[in-house]
């Protein structure tokens, strides 16, 4: 039985062998692939948070658009539908953020150890956001509020401009400070005084937006220091091997082998080179530039 591994490119319905690889080259490609897949595995949970953040914003924007284009002056009473949708998207966002943070903590402890410098760095990042940003500590505690008391007390007001050529509407979405304090007594010695210091109705949109920025800052600061250099090198090396720029995003290349067995039969094996995941790296770099 004899087998060779070649770098191949899929062209329409055919496979074109480019060159035969030695064992060290094959292992290098597999190692690079693993680095890219590892990056993507963690980044998927960031995308999960961002997806729910986009759903939260879209819920508000769609409702505003509908309100702006209504022909009646006052507008219909939509507290049940809009309030319900906002609460669902907000809850999904909080759950995805907590899932992401729990995943980061667990994976870092597993890979580096609870006493490692990497884990201590991660804890310092979360502690800094907790210390510096009311939004981060408030949203962290708000998830516990939801578990014990139900959906958070939100109020909203919408304003429509009628004297312009294009309809225009704005919305204020606010947390009710007094309801939060009266319905839940586990805010803690740090969060409670800061919550008490808020206005009676305080801006929920600002709180959520700043909280997501904190989540991204924790992830990017840690990843930049701990592993992103490996991801970048893996991307550059894969691009070099397949003779494409780092901006190449198509899964056209693979490791291909044909093994001849007894009786003249052949077994074929393909292992794809994940160039399409380079888009995830580009997304990461974009996020890094925005925080």
């Amino acid at each position: 039985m004899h087998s060779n591994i070649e770098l191949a490119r899929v062209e329409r319905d055919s496979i074109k062998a480019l060159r035969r690889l030695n064992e060290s080259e094959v292992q290098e490609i597999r190692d690079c692939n693993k680095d890219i897949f590892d990056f993507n595995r963690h980044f998927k949970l960031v995308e999960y948070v961002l997806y729910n953040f986009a759903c939260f914003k879209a819920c508000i924007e769609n409702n505003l658009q509908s309100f702006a284009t209504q022909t009646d002056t006052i507008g219909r009473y939509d507290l049940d539908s809009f309030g319900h949708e906002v609460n669902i998207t907000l809850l999904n966002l909080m759950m995805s953020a907590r899932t992401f943070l729990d995943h980061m903590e667990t994976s870092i402890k597993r890979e580096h150890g609870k006493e490692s410098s990497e884990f201590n760095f991660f804890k310092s990042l979360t502690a800094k956001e907790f210390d510096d940003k009311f939004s981060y500590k408030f949203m962290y505690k708000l998830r516990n509020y939801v578990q014990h008391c139900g959906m958070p007390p939100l109020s909203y007001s919408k304003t429509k401009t009628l004297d312009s050529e294009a309809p225009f509407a704005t919305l204020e979405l606010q947390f009710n400070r007094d309801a939060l304090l009266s319905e839940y007594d586990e805010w803690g010695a740090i969060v409670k005084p800061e919550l008490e210091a808020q206005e009676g109705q305080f801006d929920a949109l600002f709180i959520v937006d700043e909280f997501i920025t904190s989540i991204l800052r924790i992830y990017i600061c840690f990843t930049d220091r701990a592993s992103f250099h490996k991801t970048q090198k893996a991307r550059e090396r894969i691009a070099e091997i397949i003779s494409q720029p780092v901006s190449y995003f198509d899964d056209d290349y693979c490791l291909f082998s044909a093994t001849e067995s007894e009786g003249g039969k052949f077994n074929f094996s393909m292992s794809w080179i994940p160039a399409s995941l380079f888009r995830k790296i580009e997304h990461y770099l974009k996020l890094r530039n925005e925080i």
Side-chain angles (χ1 to χ4, degrees), residues 100-124:
F100 171 72
L101 290 172
D102 288 348
H103 164 79
M104 272 198 79
E105 180 169 343
T106 300
S107 63
I108 293 167
K109 285 192 288 188
R110 284 178 176 172
E111 183 175 354
H112 301 287
K114 191 173 181 179
E115 305 301 324
S116 65
S117 60
E118 289 84 358
F119 183 69
N120 289 333
F121 179 58
F122 168 73
K123 297 305 289 184
S124 72

Side-chain angles (χ1 to χ4, degrees), residues 180-218:
L180 289 166
L181 289 167
S182 65
E183 294 173 4
Y184 185 61
D185 58 3
E186 298 294 332
W187 292 104
I190 296 176
V191 178
K192 185 176 181 180
E194 292 193 41
L195 177 56
E196 290 174 332
Q198 301 300 310
E199 298 290 335
Q201 304 285 338
F202 60 98
D203 191 346
L205 297 178
F206 173 80
I207 291 288
V208 172
D209 187 71
E210 190 176 65
F211 173 65
I212 296 303
T213 300
S214 289
I215 295 293
L216 293 175
R217 186 159 43 236
I218 291 168

Side-chain angles (χ1 to χ4, degrees), residues 9 19 30 39 45 54 66 96 98 110 117 121 159-160 163-164 166 188 196 202 208 212 247 278 281 286:
R9 182 171 185 174
R19 64 184 178 88
R30 287 174 174 164
F39 169 83
L45 286 178
S66 175
S96 64
R98 185 61 177 266
R110 284 178 176 172
S117 60
F121 179 58
T159 304
K160 181 190 295 188
D163 57 352
S164 61
E196 290 174 332
F202 60 98
V208 172
I212 296 303
S247 57
F278 291 174
I281 299 172
K286 182 176 182 291

Side-chain angles (χ1 to χ4, degrees), residues 107-149:
S107 63
I108 293 167
K109 285 192 288 188
R110 284 178 176 172
E111 183 175 354
H112 301 287
K114 191 173 181 179
E115 305 301 324
S116 65
S117 60
E118 289 84 358
F119 183 69
N120 289 333
F121 179 58
F122 168 73
K123 297 305 289 184
S124 72
L125 291 173
T126 57
K128 179 172 175 54
E129 295 301 323
F130 192 92
D131 291 342
D132 293 351
K133 303 294 183 182
F134 168 73
S135 58
Y136 181 85
K137 60 174 71 78
F138 170 72
M139 291 293 288
Y140 193 87
K141 289 286 189 178
L142 187 64
R143 180 181 177 274
N144 297 336
Y145 171 96
V146 170
Q147 286 182 313
H148 293 89
C149 304

Side-chain angles (χ1 to χ4, degrees), residues 5-50:
I5 298 180
E6 298 184 82
L7 178 66
R9 182 171 185 174
V10 176
E11 297 178 346
R12 295 186 179 180
D13 296 327
S14 63
I15 298 177
K16 179 181 178 181
L18 300 178
R19 64 184 178 88
R20 185 172 296 178
L21 303 171
N22 59 44
E23 290 184 7
S24 62
E25 290 176 316
V26 172
Q27 188 58 51
E28 181 182 19
I29 291 173
R30 287 174 174 164
D31 289 343
C32 288
N33 286 354
K34 181 181 182 302
D35 288 338
I36 298 296
F37 282 126
D38 284 346
F39 169 83
N40 182 58
R41 179 166 53 88
H42 298 299
F43 192 68
K44 281 181 179 179
L45 286 178
V46 178
E47 291 180 311
Y48 175 40
V49 175
L50 293 174

Side-chain angles (χ1 to χ4, degrees), residues 199-264:
E199 298 290 335
Q201 304 285 338
F202 60 98
D203 191 346
L205 297 178
F206 173 80
I207 291 288
V208 172
D209 187 71
E210 190 176 65
F211 173 65
I212 296 303
T213 300
S214 289
I215 295 293
L216 293 175
R217 186 159 43 236
I218 291 168
Y219 167 69
I220 289 172
C221 288
F222 180 83
T223 303
D224 267 3
R225 173 166 162 171
S227 62
F228 191 62
H229 62 288
K230 289 179 60 181
T231 305
Q232 287 279 60
K233 287 182 178 179
R235 177 190 187 180
E236 291 167 3
R237 182 59 180 138
I238 287 174
E240 182 181 12
I241 289 169
I242 64 178
S243 300
Q244 295 289 352
V246 292
S247 57
Y248 187 79
F249 301 129
D250 294 321
D251 289 331
D252 292 337
Y253 292 86
C254 65
L255 299 178
F256 176 79
S257 66
T259 304
E260 184 178 2
S261 59
E262 295 180 2

